[in-house]
Amino acid sequence: MASPITPPRGMRDFLPADKARREHALGVIRRSFASHGFDEIETPVVEDVARLHSGLGGDNEKLAFSVLKRGLDADDLRAAIDSGDVLSLTDLGLRFDLTVPLARFYATHRAELPPVFRSIQIAPVWRAERPQKGRYRQFVQCDIDIIGEAGQLAEVELITATAAALDALGLQNCTIRINDRRILNGLLEFCGFAESRWPQVLISIDKLDKIGAEGVVKELSADGADSAAVLGGILENLEPHLADGGVALTVEAITGILPDGVDTDAIAALESLAHALDTLPTGVTLRFDPTLVRGMGYYTGTIFEIAHPGSGSSVGGGGRYDGMIGRFLGTDVPACGFSIGFERVVDLIEVPTDASADAIVLVYDPAVALDRLLAVKSELIASGRRVRLDRRAKNLKAVLDRAEASGFRSFAFVTADTTDAASLEIKPLG
């Protein structure tokens, strides 16, 4: 028996209707981002493996696909085994996100770019995930970033542009959860965690919605029960507020649920951000969530994430990463970014039914002369229609059903008596 012919695990083929849906969504996102003053760039699908494993990508570095060097021999393999350095066999890797390539791009082209650079990147990335619903090994990211703006204008523009894109897609009831890494660090310091443990503690807090406060405490107790217990008490007090999606972005609301001593400047900055964003589309709500972590280790300040009731996972996120570009340039450059989780968003939207209103199938008799058939088709195309030719078959219903499934909305018969497009009798499909 022949083995099934399928794409590699975690990767997908897209039939024409699926591809059309995706391209519609990508077009809406591109136009929306561009209207807010962002410029699209493109970077290679591969980067130097040392750059991808430089500590900028957090846990995603462990999921990077690496590319073997050319001309390896048995001695190279043995040397890598003896040293335990498997990466010594590679020199390139597939990008696992678009932020690390952007940082490298900016460092390369800084002299050619404006002092404040607003970029769009929409492209596939690759991670060696364990494939499951909503998680793929190849997927598209839709990123906008602002480099060179240290003030809150960057966060305001990014959130405004992203909310506008969600609104243009017709995606309602989105909540943008906002936090600040300085508030998280203040919580961990209040609880008594050693700074060396903060990355581990944040990973556990990030699982709060899955394992609850009790599960977080259990994970952290082995290396410090007292600190874990203090954190557990705080999380238990926060859980009722998080059930409603978070709290209002005001100093009073935020300080009312946090222990004393948490960074007041960060809290005031969040309130200022809320005031600047009071004109977002009606389908988008801002909420403060002190347990929001965002897994990437490069975030330095404000972080945000989009939640939607139709998705069990976030449908977008981002934050400020002021220290990343300095790793390439030797001097810090402020940077902030927001990414729409395209694969999740595209499953939530409805494609307008009029998108294929001008698509017509010409069902032709085999006896029709080719020059006449192509002349009629060309005339319709010149009028702005999308046109497909289908030979008339005994099972006409199958022909028409296939055309409708491909997004066509009308059809017409072309016979030996057809003289031009005006003589066609156009009928609706379905």
Side-chain angles (χ1 to χ4, degrees):
M1 181 182 294
S3 60
I5 302 173
T6 59
R9 290 186 67 236
M11 300 181 183
R12 298 163 292 165
D13 295 324
F14 296 105
L15 293 169
D18 295 323
K19 180 64 174 173
R21 178 188 186 86
R22 293 170 68 84
E23 289 302 318
H24 164 77
L26 289 171
V28 170
I29 293 169
R30 273 194 171 94
R31 289 191 295 274
S32 184
F33 285 166
S35 71
H36 283 258
F38 291 80
D39 295 313
E40 188 161 4
I41 64 168
E42 183 174 332
T43 58
V45 302
V46 294
E47 293 282 349
D48 289 341
V49 72
R51 186 170 299 122
L52 294 174
H53 291 269
S54 60
L56 297 175
D59 286 344
N60 287 331
E61 293 187 4
K62 302 173 186 176
L63 302 175
F65 285 99
S66 297
V67 180
L68 290 175
K69 296 176 181 176
R70 275 63 59 204
L72 293 172
D73 57 25
D75 290 339
D76 296 315
L77 298 178
R78 278 190 290 270
I81 293 171
D82 291 342
S83 67
D85 182 12
V86 177
L87 285 179
S88 66
L89 299 173
T90 69
D91 56 356
L92 299 172
L94 289 172
R95 61 191 178 204
F96 50 74
D97 73 0
L98 297 176
T99 308
V100 174
L102 173 65
R104 194 274 310 152
F105 172 94
Y106 183 82
T108 302
H109 300 284
R110 184 182 187 184
E112 306 160 67
L113 298 172
V116 176
F117 178 53
R118 296 168 174 83
S119 77
I120 304 170
Q121 279 193 98
I122 298 178
V125 299
W126 293 265
R127 295 178 192 170
E129 296 270 13
R130 184 174 62 185
Q132 53 187 295
K133 181 176 175 58
R135 286 191 177 274
Y136 306 103
R137 290 179 170 176
Q138 177 178 319
F139 55 96
V140 171
Q141 286 190 333
C142 302
D143 286 17
I144 47 174
D145 293 82
I146 297 179
I147 300 176
E149 173 56 64
Q152 283 192 317
L153 178 62
E155 283 92 337
V156 170
E157 284 201 272
L158 290 166
I159 293 173
T160 300
T162 301
L166 297 174
D167 185 55
L169 287 167
L171 198 60
Q172 298 294 307
N173 302 317
C174 292
T175 299
I176 300 181
R177 300 157 56 217
I178 299 181
N179 196 11
D180 194 299
R181 275 297 177 94
R182 293 171 293 175
I183 291 175
L184 278 171
N185 293 345
L187 277 176
L188 302 191
E189 190 172 4
F190 175 85
C191 294
F193 290 104
E195 190 169 345
S196 60
R197 290 193 62 201
W198 289 3
Q200 174 202 356
V201 178
L202 292 176
I203 290 171
S204 295
I205 294 175
D206 204 24
K207 303 175 188 175
L208 179 66
D209 60 335
K210 298 180 177 66
I211 63 178
E214 185 177 345
V216 173
V217 172
K218 185 177 180 180
E219 279 196 359
L220 298 174
S221 291
D223 295 318
D226 291 344
S227 296
V230 175
L231 176 62
I234 294 173
L235 294 179
E236 286 176 0
N237 291 333
L238 292 176
E239 281 184 313
H241 301 282
L242 304 182
D244 297 325
V247 302
L249 282 166
T250 65
V251 170
E252 293 77 11
I254 294 172
T255 55
I257 63 171
L258 294 178
D260 294 335
V262 175
D263 195 315
T264 54
D265 289 340
I267 295 172
L270 291 183
E271 183 179 49
S272 174
L273 193 61
H275 285 313
L277 293 168
D278 63 359
T279 58
L280 291 180
T282 54
V284 180
T285 304
L286 295 177
R287 304 292 283 175
F288 170 64
D289 182 351
T291 67
L292 177 64
V293 173
R294 297 293 300 163
M296 306 304 282
Y298 50 63
Y299 289 125
T300 57
T302 317
I303 50 177
F304 23 81
E305 193 167 274
I306 309 168
H308 187 274
S311 175
S313 303
S314 69
V315 296
R320 182 166 283 279
Y321 54 98
D322 288 344
M324 179 185 285
I325 295 172
R327 297 278 292 271
F328 299 113
L329 285 177
T331 177
D332 281 347
V333 178
C336 196
F338 209 149
S339 177
I340 289 178
F342 179 74
E343 307 299 343
R344 290 168 181 162
V345 164
V346 76
D347 289 336
L348 297 172
I349 66 169
E350 297 291 335
V351 177
T353 55
D354 62 352
S356 302
D358 291 332
I360 182 172
V361 171
L362 298 181
V363 182
Y364 64 93
D365 291 338
V368 177
L370 286 179
D371 60 341
R372 177 70 56 81
L373 181 62
L374 291 176
V376 173
K377 178 183 179 181
S378 298
E379 191 177 346
L380 288 169
I381 291 173
S383 71
R385 288 181 177 269
R386 179 185 178 215
V387 186
R388 174 178 292 174
L389 299 175
D390 257 330
R391 182 190 294 266
R392 187 163 189 167
K394 180 180 289 188
N395 188 352
L396 179 61
K397 184 178 184 303
V399 173
L400 298 181
D401 287 347
R402 184 170 59 245
E404 186 177 7
S406 296
F408 290 86
R409 294 292 174 261
S410 59
F411 73 101
F413 293 115
V414 181
T415 69
D417 296 328
T418 303
T419 57
D420 54 23
S423 65
L424 294 172
E425 184 183 357
I426 298 175
K427 302 177 182 179
L429 279 168

